[in-house]
Amino acid sequence: MREAMLALLSKEPSHGYELHRRLCVALGEAVTPLNVGQVYVTLSRLEKSGFVMGTEVEQTRRSDKKVYAVTAAGRELVAHWLADVSWRKSAPADFHLKLVAAAATAAADPVGLIDTQRRELLRHLAEIQHALAGTSEEGEATLLLEGAALRIQADIRWLEVCELHWTQRRRT
Amino acid sequence: MREAMLALLSKEPSHGYELHRRLCVALGEAVTPLNVGQVYVTLSRLEKSGFVMGTEVEQTRRSDKKVYAVTAAGRELVAHWLADVSWRKSAPADFHLKLVAAAATAAADPVGLIDTQRRELLRHLAEIQHALAGTSEEGEATLLLEGAALRIQADIRWLEVCELHWTQRRRT
DNA sequence: ACAGCCATGTAACTTGTTACATGATTTT
DNA sequence: AAAATCATGTAACAAGTTACATGGCTGT
């Protein structure tokens, strides 16, 4: 998030409100609704850390705005971020834990859990594909949606593997 | 995390040190190295919130330990967690932002970025498959590894889609 | 004697997140 | 006159993260 904002600012300085809109577009608005307040919070924190510098700009027809631009330190941080190849790790771990917890406590049926989850993912997948059909303009957010679709498909396949393991040898 | 710990505790009460070990196993130790300190931090926070209750247990040969057990409120929270079907959203968004940032600032070559990232993911995939070959015992963490592998494969496919989009119509 | 595991914790920092407060201007 | 958009921020809480401190017991 910090880095995301810095990256956008290093492309072009903005004030908070505008940056919020840019972030919504870049991150796929609907996917992760972004609170405006957080933009301001993060901007002030970034300024305190010396990665951006704000300048107040008077406006005639509107209330004044404060435009933020990245500093040298900020540009360096962005460079590091771009060079970083780390990749967010598995959400499967979350669900896997649920599975073992459910199996252990007998508070819930593991296979039922898998089934519910798969139905939910299928629903989600349908949503995404519907959205994909809508944005046939080959526009900006298309790639994001395709990525989400591919991932969800992989996750669904994983759930099927889970179910197999769980039904074949009952109890661990 | 909070929920994960609660889930394990609702299966069986533990003291911090032991819970740490159980978490390592359940979450796939190597994937996310877990700091012991955090277990204690989280436990005390959970106790403050009333989801667990700790009881000190004297030991003859060892230093005393403090065993935590879930409360009614804790059990309810776990139940809600088990019923929750939300799924962690796309990491792709992170990388997508890098792409647009790189494309905009000309600070880095987007296609180069994709290439570097794909090589990294392939390396990671190889690691996982190596680990999979090792744990042929059909053991506990196998599912987790299979899930990770499926995901990374999906991500690699996505990178290929990205590259296509980016090379076919240069500049956005 | 020293390393390493068992066992517990705290202080401090970072980041995310939201609810709330404020006020101007533009559109309906 | 009401609703939406432009524009900014604060206070407070929730969670993750780590570095550090402490002490006993076990094995070499």
Side-chain angles (χ1 to χ4, degrees), chain B:
Chain B
M1 192 76 269
R2 256 161 83 255
E3 289 85 357
M5 286 176 47
L6 272 182
L8 288 188
L9 285 183
S10 78
K11 174 181 169 185
E12 183 179 17
S14 291
H15 57 278
Y17 198 83
E18 189 186 5
L19 183 58
H20 175 248
R21 268 178 313 189
R22 292 173 65 194
L23 277 168
C24 286
V25 174
L27 294 172
E29 58 261 72
V31 183
T32 313
L34 181 59
N35 190 308
V36 194
Q38 186 170 354
V39 175
Y40 290 102
V41 172
T42 309
L43 273 176
S44 60
R45 285 174 184 171
L46 280 174
E47 189 169 28
K48 207 177 63 183
S49 307
F51 295 121
V52 300
M53 226 189 58
T55 323
E56 280 178 52
V57 175
E58 290 176 30
Q59 286 185 131
T60 46
R61 326 185 57 70
R62 294 273 171 200
S63 38
D64 293 0
K65 59 185 180 178
K66 198 169 171 186
V67 173
Y68 289 90
V70 288
T71 63
R75 247 167 283 131
E76 199 186 346
L77 205 157
V78 171
H80 273 99
W81 178 66
L82 284 174
D84 180 26
V85 290
S86 69
W87 200 255
R88 272 235 284 276
K89 44 244 142 313
S90 41
D94 284 12
F95 184 72
H96 182 258
L97 187 62
K98 272 189 201 180
L99 271 185
V100 298
T105 55
D109 170 36
V111 178
L113 220 68
I114 294 175
D115 225 59
T116 310
Q117 192 67 61
R118 182 172 46 208
R119 236 172 292 143
E120 173 68 13
L121 289 190
L122 283 170
R123 205 184 54 71
H124 210 276
L125 179 59
E127 252 178 49
I128 289 173
Q129 287 175 336
H130 181 264
L132 264 174
T135 57
S136 56
E137 314 161 23
E138 281 283 352
E140 317 138 341
T142 319
L143 274 180
L144 230 40
L145 286 172
E146 289 183 49
L150 281 170
R151 265 212 159 186
I152 289 192
Q153 282 163 8
D155 290 341
I156 290 171
R157 267 199 296 282
W158 182 65
L159 285 181
E160 266 146 30
V161 175
C162 284
E163 196 166 27
L164 243 146
H165 279 237
W166 233 270
T167 50
Q168 281 188 351
R169 41 190 192 95
R170 310 193 174 272
R171 314 208 137 280
T172 312

Side-chain angles (χ1 to χ4, degrees), chain A residues 7 41 90 120:
Chain A
V41 172
S90 42
E120 172 68 14

Side-chain angles (χ1 to χ4, degrees), chain A residues 51-123:
Chain A
F51 295 123
V52 300
M53 226 189 58
T55 322
E56 281 179 51
V57 175
E58 291 177 30
Q59 286 184 131
T60 47
R61 325 185 56 71
R62 293 273 171 200
S63 39
D64 293 359
K65 60 186 181 179
K66 198 169 171 187
V67 173
Y68 290 89
V70 289
T71 62
R75 247 167 283 133
E76 198 186 348
L77 205 157
V78 170
H80 274 98
W81 178 65
L82 284 173
D84 180 27
V85 291
S86 70
W87 200 255
R88 271 237 283 277
K89 45 239 141 315
S90 42
D94 284 12
F95 185 72
H96 182 258
L97 187 62
K98 273 190 199 179
L99 272 185
V100 298
T105 55
D109 171 35
V111 178
L113 220 67
I114 294 175
D115 225 58
T116 310
Q117 191 67 61
R118 182 172 44 209
R119 236 172 293 143
E120 172 68 14
L121 288 190
L122 283 169
R123 204 184 55 69

